[in-house]
Amino acid sequence: MNKRMVKWYRPNTVKWALNLWPPFWGAGISITSISEDFREVNVRLKLRWWNKNANRTQYGGSIFSMTDPVYSLMLMGILGEQYYVWDRQAQINFVSPGKGDLTAHFELTEPMLNEIYRATCEGDKFFPCFSILVKDESGKVVANVERTLYIRKKAQYREWSDAKKTPS
């Protein structure tokens, strides 16, 4: 995240911006909630005539898209301008057809954040993997999405041990 974004990067602002973002809005995706500390986010995908596939169920691309920027944006809100946070790779396993509205819950726990801080404090790259369950209205799993992020502390904020005298 750059310094200009830090000023306005607040949960309500991020929620508002994402809900107006054309890729989300057009796909029927909405952020229903973001906790004040960015540690929990809930996303909903409404089934509409324009996001149905040939089988009249949720289009797989929309299911995949509903998970796309969420963990990156959460971590940007938590880690701030000291870190680079990007999506690195992702895969999806479709479990059953999405016949109605779908939801996904994203959560970052204290142990997860501690692992990120520990792994990146000296400037090392870290590639945590997060699993997201996309569920239908009855709670049945429709898809499991695995997302791997790239996280690295920016050079000017790194701590150097005696063993590491120069940035890598």
Side-chain angles (χ1 to χ4, degrees), residues 72 86-90 125-128 147-151:
S72 292
W86 292 300
D87 275 311
R88 185 166 188 251
Q89 67 184 39
K125 298 172 188 173
F126 186 53
F127 307 107
R147 293 205 159 268
T148 303
L149 301 185
Y150 166 102
I151 303 172

Side-chain angles (χ1 to χ4, degrees), residues 113-126 151:
L113 294 172
N114 289 338
E115 183 179 10
I116 291 168
Y117 289 127
R118 183 196 52 73
T120 60
C121 69
E122 292 185 356
D124 294 325
K125 298 172 188 173
F126 186 53
I151 303 172

